[in-house]
């Protein structure tokens, strides 16, 4: 009974495509991150260089982004929408279809197991709409019964540039062709069954609108062809791609009749063939146009090239080969191996020593065809073509220099997309994805073009696109445009050395996340003097390795925001705080800034908007509410005793500024006071009912210069306006505003999008006229009204009236505010319920507004999935408190954020390239918060903590929040991270890194065969270094390089018995290594044991007071592949070669102690997983062939016993113990992205007395696993399990405590896609509730791309045991399977994405109460980590 929940989304970009998707004129970038599909648009922003960018230049500094070009204007990626899909995306393609809903192009997405989904943008629901689903996974297409499953093959999608068809290559040699209808096409869907052999068709789900069954779909019936039907020699297909400039759909394919092999190069040299086929979609036939044989055997990719080059670029490991439309070839060698591996004629540029494996290629110049190539190291090169008429006479390769941005990228690319206008997007799975900008210094003559010439080119392009089918019936297109481009290329071609690249934006990536460490959170050294106000919570942080090669780094993750505390000030009984900046009024006769705008040069001034005053509301003697004003000085705060603010006037409700910051307005409970910039009183406005003269109290206020909204305790409102002189007066209200009871309201004005101030109000009239907006100062009729807001529907549409009033939510507060960073800010509607739940809505217009229309015209709202669901205890506390909880923070660390006050304080943050994220602010007892900007605290904040003090704090520098939803900062190392552990005694981290070095055998190891190798390019192997990192400064304080060609395979910190006499134990760092010297030499390994003693620090570097000291080492026969602690006597278990050995320290009188074995187990296989249940002798052994073994270690006598084995042929990648109450489970992740749950139960009859581990369930995660870490909440004594069952929990003094609940154990999983997941054990009642909720919820949610979430999680062949397992998504296992599947935590959490009416129906069907689901979901999400992170 487990639940699998993804805590953070995948971050590794695998595929990308550029297309006009959301509108005909848009430029959208669509990226795929495993199962996450994101849609971006581009925006140009102007940014002022900050100290964050300066700090990012330091290689050892905490970094959040790549070094950025220090210019004020750059292009940013802005997220439009993101969607989680129940499948793993394998390819993306752009398809132009007729009559799409948005007017733009469609998106064709391919998935594993040969599925295709055709998607379009639906402006009505502001999301994806599925046109059709095609799947080709039928058994009749699989061929022989002994062939591999579809998931074992590289299935990919290619689309014709003219959108006439798409081809899906799947399986070993199958090709599915999906035709698309274009203007003028005559495609037919039927064929003569008497004459034609039946072809396999896709099973298609097509959407038909308005019930019109005769409506024509944008696609025709697809068909499947075996590649051998095209040509009998296509036995080993390598790659295929559609080509440009052909009348009919035409694709090229590289293949061979024999499998290419480097080991058999002498026999299989130049065996690759390149064939070009044109497709007749009506006859479902093909014609061979071109065949080129004898190509190099290392070719692995086809890159089709548009004009002016044309043809195809064949990419090999050692060369580029261009083949034009006539079959002529031109090649260039880029390393010394090209001439050795191929006999074709090619120009020699082998001195470049380039390696082309894993490279990505895109054409960047439409004039001369220059192409940029991103190598696997991230380096940039330019491939140029020598164009002679319509043929290519030669290729040349040029490296991009470092000063031109050639080394800006540090990771292997996974995809590349040209966005036009000098922009390239380069995705990566091993580092951050980058939006790259480029410019070229073209000759002056080539750039001088008249406006008429540019318009003429645009007309020509439009003609080619619309009238393509009216061209001549020749197979090739019209060459007039090509001739024009070629002549332009010859006249204005730029030198490859003139390209300059720069980074515009990045998408953060946490992959591959191979190693993990959990340690105590550190406090920066310069803030150690500040006492933390959070003493109640455990302070832990999570470190994850990210990137590879030069992109290697360590990511420091925290699911909460940990502020940097600067200083505190004692203010007794403080309850609320505000900060204001006020400027003096302009002298008479001087022009006033319009619309609140300030001169741009004044904005650049460092002190232009520094906070001048802090206003505090406090409770004085005899419980009297008072207010005080503090003046901000250079070092502290000083209370202003000479100001005209009356302290005993009462508690302050809100403070703001009007009249362009020249008037400070204090809203008290009984009146409104206005002050000038020096806090001299200017005006007093009483709060009273004009009709009855009754005294009313203010309960809320909202500012938007020059307006002020006042909400009173009788649910009435006042709207005040300040004139140019600063005089404040009330605006006359309409009848609807006077007669309606308003429970919340706010003013909204965005200077970036509109100059209109909006009045947003929330009524309490049973959902009728729940939300209204007025354009001030016009208060006669609302410009926007939503009646269904209290139902929290997925889409809020004006005029829609809900059917049932019983499902209405009780709302408490609304706030319309801009969310975002300096890149992009956009308005959002934030709704808080009476239970303290927070939901976020994003606005959109249907139809889209013009530039001259108001914001509320055609306005709709769509609910985002990112919401804050309070647990039952917090909700109960929320009902007892009154007053507004949502507070806008216009500039907090560069973010326009919203503060959520409550039992736990939260911030809503949004980055331009991410959705809004709600993160907890790690400050217990926080009462109130306000922004604070000063020279000593730039763009920070002040808050009142539980200790009653006023604290100054900042958001930590270099921390990102948007991409993962966690606080994330990075320590760049520039090397692969192989091991990571935390030394708790000395509070430091040990990191094992490796760098690639040239491999060369020594004279003692050399063979005569190696003496023949005299090349300059040598193979590279890893050379490891052990580093010690201080977490207070995040600097490397010590290093220990290992021997040449020695690489770290395991690194752990554990208590080790250092003396056989005294039995003293000490926390030491144990390192396992192996020597990588090729397959012809015997493998050996070593064990190192390091101590971390205190030493005298270096002058001026107090953090260097610790060093690595080699305590013991031992050389072993065979590689050391895994190490773990075991038992209770300070020993550790080692996987060396084909044996598992338990070793300990022996003192034999020598200078260095020896490491001797005390017990062993012969496993006869390579062991890559070795885990121990802490404090016990149980160990879990995993390998890539035989699955997992469960063994136990006894200390009297010393021996290892094998208890049970899992099923064989399970390719184990990671495994971990998972205790649950009185049962012992194991979680095993295999290479097929499946998660298996095994159980050790010797009493079960099918377990053969425990010799066979029971396979309980299988769950498909969709992410390749990299590590598993056992965590518990709360921590429990480790030795509570005996013989597979839990004993009675023990108290600290060793006595049993039968009343204490058993600890909840969870497993933290990391994946190569960068996603963090949590596997949680559930109690029986929780499992039943969540399982029933999942079964009821799955049919209700609209599937994205038409994919079934339950089918995505089910594993074929790994499930048996009945309907229950299938209903819960995960299949039940083999012997003894109870048929109980695993709960999908992300799926059940989407119950809060439903409207209140549908949510009530779903909860009613599953028989669960809302508070029970709150409790269950709190434990399976981030709350399941407890105090660990």
């Amino acid at each position: 009974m487990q639940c699998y929940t993804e805590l953070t989304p995948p971050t590794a970009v695998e595929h990308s495509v550029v297309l006009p998707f959301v509108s005909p004129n848009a430029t959208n970038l669509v990226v795929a991150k495993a199962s996450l599909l994101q849609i971006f648009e581009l925006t140009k922003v102007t940014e002022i260089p900050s100290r964050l960018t300066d700090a990012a230049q330091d290689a050892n500094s905490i970094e959040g982004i790549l070094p950025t070009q220090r210019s004020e204007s750059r292009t940013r990626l802005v997220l439009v929408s993101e969607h989680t899909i129940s499948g793993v995306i394998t390819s993306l393609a752009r398809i132009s279809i007729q009559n799409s809903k948005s007017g733009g192009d469609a998106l064709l997405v391919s998935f594993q197991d040969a599925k295709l989904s055709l998607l379009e943008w639906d402006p009505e629901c502001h999301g994806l709409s599925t046109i059709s689903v095609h799947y080709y996974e039928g058994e009749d297409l699989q061929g022989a019964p002994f062939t591999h499953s579809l998931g074992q093959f590289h299935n990919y999608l290619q689309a014709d540039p003219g959108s006439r068809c798409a081809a899906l290559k799947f399986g070993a040699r199958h090709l599915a062709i999906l035709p698309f209808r274009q203007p003028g096409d005559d495609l037919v869907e039927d064929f003569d069954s008497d004459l034609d052999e039946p072809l396999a068709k896709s099973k298609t789900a097509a959407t038909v609108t308005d019930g019109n069954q005769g409506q024509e779909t944008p696609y025709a019936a697809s068909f499947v062809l075996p590649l051998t039907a095209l040509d009998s020699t296509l036995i080993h297909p390598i790659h295929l791609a559609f080509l440009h400039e052909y009348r009919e759909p035409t694709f090229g394919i590289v293949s061979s009749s024999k499998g290419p092999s480097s080991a058999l190069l002498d026999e299989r040299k130049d065996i690759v063939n390149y064939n070009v086929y044109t497709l007749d979609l009506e006859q479902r036939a093909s014609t061979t146009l071109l065949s080129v044989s004898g190509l190099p055997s290392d070719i692995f990719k086809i890159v089709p090239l548009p004009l002016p080059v044309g043809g195809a670029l064949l990419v090999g490991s050692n060369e580029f080969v261009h083949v034009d439309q006539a079959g002529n070839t031109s090649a260039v060698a880029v390393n010394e191996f090209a001439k050795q591996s191929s006999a074709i004629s090619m120009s020699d540029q082998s001195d470049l020593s380039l390696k082309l494996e894993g490279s990505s290629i895109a054409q960047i110049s439409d004039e001369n065809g220059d192409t940029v190539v991103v190598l696997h190291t991230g380096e940039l090169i330019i491939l140029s073509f020598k164009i002679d008429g319509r043929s290519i006479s030669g290729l040349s390769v040029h490296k991009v220099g470092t000063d031109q941005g050639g080394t800006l990228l540090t990771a292997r690319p996974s995809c590349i997309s040209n966005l036009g206008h000098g922009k390239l997007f380069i995705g990566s799975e091993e580092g951050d994805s980058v939006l790259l900008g480029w410019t070229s210094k073209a000759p002056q003559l080539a750039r001088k073009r008249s406006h008429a010439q540019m318009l003429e080119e645009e007309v020509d392009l439009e003609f080619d696109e619309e009238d393509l089918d009216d061209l001549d019936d020749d197979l090739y297109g019209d060459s007039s445009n090509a001739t024009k481009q070629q002549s332009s290329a010859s006249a204005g071609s730029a030198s490859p050395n003139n390209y300059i690249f720069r980074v515009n934006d990045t998408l953060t990536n946490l992959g591959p996340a191979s190693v993990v460490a959990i340690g105590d959170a550190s406090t920066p050294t310069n803030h150690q003097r500040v006492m933390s106000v959070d003493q109640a919570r455990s302070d832990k942080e999570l470190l994850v390795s990210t990137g590879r090669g030069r992109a290697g780094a360590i990511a420091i993750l925290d699911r909460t925001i940990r502020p940097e505390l600067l200083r505190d000030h004692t203010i007794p009984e403080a309850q609320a705080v505000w900060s204001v900046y006020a400027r003096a009024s302009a002298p008479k006769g001087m022009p006033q800034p319009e619309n609140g705008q300030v001169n741009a040069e004044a904005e650049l001034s460092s002190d232009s908007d520094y906070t001048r005053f802090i206003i505090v509301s406090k409770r004085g003697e005899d419980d009297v509410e008072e207010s005080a004003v503090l003046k901000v000085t250079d070092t502290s705060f000083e209370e202003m005793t000479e100001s005209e603010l009356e302290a005993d006037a009462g508690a302050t409700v809100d403070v703001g500024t009007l009249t362009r910051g020249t008037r400070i307005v204090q809203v008290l409970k009984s009146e409104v006071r206005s002050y000038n910039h020096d806090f001299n009183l200017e005006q007093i406005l009483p709060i009273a009912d004009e009709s009855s003269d009754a005294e009313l109290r203010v309960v809320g206020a909202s500012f938007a210069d020059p307006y002020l909204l006042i909400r009173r305790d009788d649910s009435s409102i006042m709207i005040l306006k300040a004139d140019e002189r600063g005089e404040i007066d009330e605006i006359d209200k309409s009848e609807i505003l006077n007669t309606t009871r308003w429970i919340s309201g706010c003013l909204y004005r965005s200077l970036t999008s509109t100059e209109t101030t909006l009045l947003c109000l929330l009524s309490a009239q049973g959902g009728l006229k729940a939300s209204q907006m007025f354009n001030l100062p016009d208060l006669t009729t609302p410009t926007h009204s939503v009646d269904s807001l209290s139902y929290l529907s997925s889409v809020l549409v004006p005029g829609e009236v809900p059917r049932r009033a019983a499902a209405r939510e009780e709302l408490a507060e609304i706030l319309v505010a801009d969310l975002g960073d300096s890149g992009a800010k956009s308005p959002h509607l934030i709704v808080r319920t009476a239970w303290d739940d927070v939901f976020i809505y994003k606005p959109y217009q249907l139809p889209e507004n013009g530039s001259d229309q108001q914001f509320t015209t055609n306005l709709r709202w769509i609910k985002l999935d990112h919401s804050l669901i309070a647990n039952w205890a917090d909700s109960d506390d929320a009902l007892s408190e009154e007053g507004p909880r949502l507070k806008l923070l216009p500039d907090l660390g560069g973010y326009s954020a919203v503060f959520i006050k409550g039992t736990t304080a939260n911030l809503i943050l949004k980055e331009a390239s991410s959705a809004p994220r709600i993160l907890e602010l790690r400050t217990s007892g926080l009462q109130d918060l306000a922004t604070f900007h000063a020279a000593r605290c730039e763009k920070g904040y002040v808050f009142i903590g539980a200790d009653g003090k006023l604290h100054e704090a900042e958001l930590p520098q270099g921390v990102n929040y948007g991409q993962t939803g966690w606080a994330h900062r990075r320590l760049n190392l520039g090397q692969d991270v192989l091991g990571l552990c935390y030394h708790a005694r000395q509070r430091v981290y040990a990191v094992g890194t490796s760098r690639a070095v040239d491999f060369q055998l020594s004279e003692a190891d050399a063979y005569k065969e190696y003496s023949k190798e005299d090349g300059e390019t040598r193979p590279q192997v890893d050379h490891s270094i052990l580093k010690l990192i201080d977490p207070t400064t995040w600097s490397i304080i010590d290093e220990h390089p290992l021997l040449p060609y020695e690489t770290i395979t395991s690194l752990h910190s554990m208590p080790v018995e250092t003396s056989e006499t005294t039995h003293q134990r000490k926390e030491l760092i144990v390192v396992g290594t192996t020597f990588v010297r090729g397959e012809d030499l015997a493998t050996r390994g070593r064990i190192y044991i390091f101590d971390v003693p205190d030493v005298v620090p270096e002058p001026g570097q107090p953090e260097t007071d610790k060093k690595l000291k080699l305590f013991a080492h031992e050389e072993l026969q065979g590689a050391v592949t895994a190490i773990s602690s075991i038992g209770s006597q300070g020993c550790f278990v080692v996987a060396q070669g084909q044996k598992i050995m338990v070793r300990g320290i022996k003192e034999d009188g020598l200078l260095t102690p020896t490491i001797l074995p005390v017990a062993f187990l012969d496993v006869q296989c390579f062991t890559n997983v070795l885990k121990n249940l802490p404090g016990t002798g149980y160990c879990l052994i995993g390998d890539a062939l035989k699955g997992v073994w469960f063994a136990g270690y006894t200390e009297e006598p010393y021996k290892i016993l094998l208890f049970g084995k899992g099923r064989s042929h399970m390719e184990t990648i990671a495994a971990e113990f998972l205790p649950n109450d009185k049962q012992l489970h194991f979680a095993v992740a295999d290479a097929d992205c499946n998660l298996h749950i095994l159980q050790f139960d010797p009493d079960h009859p099918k377990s053969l007395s425990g010799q066979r581990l029971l396979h309980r369930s299988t769950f498909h995660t969709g992410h390749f696993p990299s590590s598993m870490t056992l965590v518990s909440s709360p921590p429990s004594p480790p030795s509570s399990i005996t013989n597979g069952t839990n004993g009675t929990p023990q108290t600290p003094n060793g006595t049993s405590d039968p009343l204490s609940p058993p600890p909840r154990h969870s497993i933290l999983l990391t994946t190569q896609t960068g996603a963090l997941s949590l596997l949680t054990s559930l109690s029986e009642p929780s499992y039943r509730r969540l399982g029933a909720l999942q079964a009821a919820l799955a049919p209700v949610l609209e599937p994205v791309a038409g994919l079934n979430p339950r089918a995505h999680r089910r594993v074929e062949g790994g499930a048996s045991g009945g309907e229950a397992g299938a209903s819960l998504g995960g299949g039940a296992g083999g012997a003894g399977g109870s048929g109980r599947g695993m709960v999908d935590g992300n799926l059940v959490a989407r119950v809060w994405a439903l409207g209140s009416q549908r949510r009530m129906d779903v909860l009613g069907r599953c028989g669960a109460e809302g508070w029970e689901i709150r409790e269950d979901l709190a434990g399976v999400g981030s709350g399941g980590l407890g105090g660990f992170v």
Side-chain angles (χ1 to χ4, degrees), residues 92-98 105-110 116-120 131-134 136 157-168 176-189 202 204 216-223 242 248-249 279-282 469:
L92 300 175
R94 168 185 176 180
I95 301 295
S96 296
I97 63 174
Q98 305 178 57
D105 292 346
L107 180 68
L108 187 61
V109 186
S110 68
L116 292 178
S117 291
L118 184 62
L119 310 176
E120 66 177 341
I131 299 176
S132 61
V133 180
H134 313 262
Y136 307 92
L157 174 69
Q158 294 289 338
D160 174 52
S163 298
R164 291 162 291 194
C165 70
L168 174 68
I177 306 297
L178 178 61
F180 295 98
R181 293 187 172 90
Q182 298 298 329
D185 281 348
D186 245 347
L187 292 177
V188 293
E189 297 187 9
S202 67
T204 302
E216 191 177 56
T217 60
Y219 55 88
S222 63
F223 55 95
F242 282 90
E248 298 293 337
L279 294 175
D280 188 339
L281 299 178
E282 295 184 13
D469 293 314

Side-chain angles (χ1 to χ4, degrees), residues 1181-1198:
I1181 305 168
D1183 65 90
L1185 181 63
K1186 294 188 177 181
V1188 292
W1189 296 4
F1190 176 48
Y1193 163 69
T1194 62
E1195 295 164 341
E1196 293 181 2
Y1198 295 113

Side-chain angles (χ1 to χ4, degrees), residues 1136-1158:
Q1136 58 178 86
Q1138 298 182 355
K1139 291 182 174 57
I1140 303 295
M1141 287 194 176
V1142 177
R1143 291 180 174 269
I1145 300 295
K1146 179 182 179 182
E1147 297 175 309
D1148 49 9
L1150 299 178
L1151 183 62
T1152 303
T1154 57
I1155 307 173
L1156 295 181
V1158 296

Side-chain angles (χ1 to χ4, degrees), residues 130-152:
T130 305
I131 299 176
S132 61
V133 180
H134 313 262
Y135 53 97
Y136 307 92
E137 51 186 350
E139 296 181 358
D140 54 333
L141 301 177
Q142 293 302 304
F146 51 82
T147 56
H148 297 289
S149 62
L150 289 177
Q152 302 295 325

Side-chain angles (χ1 to χ4, degrees), residues 69 113 141 282 307 339 704 712 779 788 862 930 977 1154 1198 1427:
Q69 181 76 11
D113 298 333
L141 301 177
E282 295 184 13
L307 292 177
K339 295 296 183 66
R712 297 175 288 199
L779 296 176
S788 58
I862 182 171
V977 179
T1154 57
Y1198 295 113

Side-chain angles (χ1 to χ4, degrees), residues 530-534 563-571 574 577 614 637 923-932 936-937 940-954:
V530 180
M531 182 64 66
S532 172
V533 299
D534 187 8
E564 293 184 359
L565 303 180
L566 302 181
R567 53 188 57 82
D568 56 67
H569 311 272
T570 302
I571 301 180
V577 62
I614 299 292
F637 299 134
T923 306
S924 62
L926 191 150
Q927 300 184 42
D928 199 11
L929 179 150
T931 56
F932 180 66
R936 64 177 186 266
C937 181
Y941 63 96
V942 292
F943 68 93
I944 300 174
D947 53 2
K949 294 183 178 181
L950 184 64
H951 299 263
E952 296 179 28
E954 291 179 336

Side-chain angles (χ1 to χ4, degrees), residues 1168-1392:
N1168 63 327
V1169 176
L1170 188 59
K1171 292 295 182 71
N1172 166 252
L1173 191 61
T1176 69
Y1178 297 146
C1179 65
L1180 188 63
I1181 305 168
D1183 65 90
L1185 181 63
K1186 294 188 177 181
V1188 292
W1189 296 4
F1190 176 48
Y1193 163 69
T1194 62
E1195 295 164 341
E1196 293 181 2
Y1198 295 113
K1199 63 178 179 179
I1200 301 179
L1201 300 177
L1202 180 63
F1203 292 156
K1205 296 182 180 181
R1207 68 182 187 185
S1208 58
H1209 306 294
M1210 181 186 296
E1211 192 172 353
T1212 304
I1213 302 299
E1216 186 57 273
F1217 287 91
L1218 185 60
N1220 181 24
D1221 196 12
K1222 295 184 178 182
Q1223 299 176 342
L1224 183 60
H1225 293 86
F1226 313 99
V1228 182
D1230 63 14
D1232 295 327
C1233 305
N1234 298 325
L1235 191 62
H1236 305 267
I1237 301 298
L1238 309 179
Q1239 182 184 4
F1240 175 69
D1241 187 4
D1243 296 331
H1244 197 284
K1246 293 187 178 181
S1247 68
L1248 303 179
S1249 299
Q1251 297 181 30
R1252 186 177 181 183
L1253 301 180
L1254 303 179
H1255 197 174
R1256 290 304 189 186
S1257 64
T1258 305
F1259 187 85
H1260 184 70
T1261 65
H1263 307 284
F1264 193 85
S1266 54
S1267 72
M1268 289 185 175
T1269 305
L1270 179 66
V1271 296
S1272 59
S1273 175
S1276 62
S1279 57
S1280 60
I1281 296 182
T1282 305
N1283 293 332
T1285 60
N1286 277 347
T1288 303
Q1290 301 291 316
T1291 60
N1293 59 6
T1295 60
S1296 62
D1297 185 9
L1299 299 180
S1300 63
R1304 171 180 289 181
H1305 296 277
S1306 303
I1307 296 178
L1308 179 66
L1309 297 93
T1310 62
T1311 62
Q1312 290 195 1
T1313 60
L1316 301 180
S1317 305
L1318 191 69
L1319 182 63
T1320 310
S1321 298
L1322 298 176
S1323 62
E1324 180 68 23
S1326 296
Y1327 178 79
R1328 290 183 178 274
R1329 284 192 296 267
L1330 294 181
L1333 176 61
Q1334 178 173 268
L1337 192 61
V1340 175
L1341 297 174
E1342 182 179 356
V1344 182
L1347 300 183
N1348 189 343
R1350 291 187 295 179
H1352 173 55
R1353 299 303 188 184
R1354 187 182 297 114
V1355 178
E1356 297 294 338
S1360 62
E1363 295 295 330
S1367 66
L1368 296 183
S1378 61
R1380 315 191 75 179
M1382 195 179 301
V1383 176
D1384 188 347
N1386 297 97
L1387 180 61
V1388 296
R1390 292 189 61 190
V1391 66
W1392 303 111

Side-chain angles (χ1 to χ4, degrees), residues 47 50 338 430 1032 1054 1138 1213:
E47 295 183 351
S50 63
E430 300 180 359
T1032 58
M1054 62 186 70
Q1138 298 182 355
I1213 302 299

